[in-house]
Amino acid sequence: MASASADPVEPVRPARVTGIDKIERRRVALAESALKTLGELGYARTSLREIANNSEFTHGVVHYYFRDKIDLISYCVRYYKTKCAQRYDEVVETAASADELAVGFLAKLTQTLVEETPMHRLWYDLRAQSMFEEQLRDDVTAIDQLLEQMIWRILTRYADLVDGTPTVDAPTAYALIDGLFEQAVVGYAAAPDQVPTQLTDRVSQILPKLITT
């Protein structure tokens, strides 16, 4: 039994949430709510009001946290693609062989193609729109760089596992893999039973050719 003179134990206080943290949490919640609508309707057909009508948030709340449609859509795609890029990190860190890395990478690539096609359609739509909407360009460039770095981590790890070196630079590797993935996203609606296997076969063919041993 503790003595009466023992110092009282102060209760653990929860970490304070700053105003900035609260705003960012709400923006994330809005983004997660908006992504489904954006993926279904695409860039051109989506408005802040349409997003609010398909979520639990009012139009006023959506407009409070995002100044316009471009601000919201850019945030949503950046948020989604950041999570998407990070999902491959475990494969890179845990693969013990080149074959294991390739299998893990391709499994996640086809999984996201099948399960999240609308989000990828939205990204490619947004990237195309950035040629005409200057306000989109900085965000699109940042997302492209994020995805390029993700592909480069996979390729350089693959090279390490076969004691080789990449035969191309990071932008080229990204353009090749992303081009095959975009082609799969476009074709998936017409041939959902065939396209995932085609994507796996094509990336499997090109990946070893990007390495010299």
Side-chain angles (χ1 to χ4, degrees), residues 29-162:
L30 285 164
E32 290 177 338
S33 176
L35 277 170
K36 185 174 185 296
T37 301
L38 290 167
E40 291 173 351
L41 299 180
Y43 172 84
R45 295 169 56 198
T46 303
S47 65
L48 290 185
R49 189 171 298 280
E50 189 73 35
I51 291 168
N53 290 342
N54 288 281
S55 75
E56 68 272 28
F57 301 102
T58 67
H59 177 256
V61 169
V62 175
H63 195 68
Y64 177 81
Y65 286 97
F66 297 97
R67 62 181 178 271
D68 54 27
K69 181 178 81 169
I70 292 178
D71 187 27
L72 172 58
I73 293 178
S74 297
Y75 184 91
C76 286
V77 174
R78 187 168 62 249
Y79 168 75
Y80 169 73
K81 282 295 185 179
T82 298
K83 294 203 307 181
C84 189
Q86 291 171 345
R87 73 180 51 169
Y88 297 94
D89 289 346
E90 183 180 357
V91 175
V92 173
E93 293 167 0
T94 61
S97 68
D99 286 343
E100 186 178 343
L101 176 63
V103 169
F105 170 54
L106 290 168
K108 289 190 177 294
L109 198 65
T110 53
Q111 180 183 6
T112 189
L113 169 68
V114 172
E115 296 180 358
E116 299 166 322
T117 308
M119 299 302 100
H120 298 299
R121 286 203 307 259
L122 175 63
W123 157 240
Y124 289 120
D125 186 11
L126 190 70
R127 191 162 72 177
Q129 289 292 333
S130 71
M131 291 188 288
F132 308 97
E133 295 275 7
E134 185 176 356
Q135 190 178 336
L136 291 170
R137 289 174 195 164
D138 287 345
D139 283 322
V140 165
T141 298
I143 295 167
D144 262 330
Q145 290 175 345
L146 177 73
L147 298 174
E148 179 184 304
Q149 291 164 4
M150 178 266 290
I151 293 297
W152 190 243
R153 287 196 298 273
I154 292 166
L155 185 61
T156 53
R157 178 57 179 156
Y158 187 91
D160 289 342
L161 290 168
V162 297

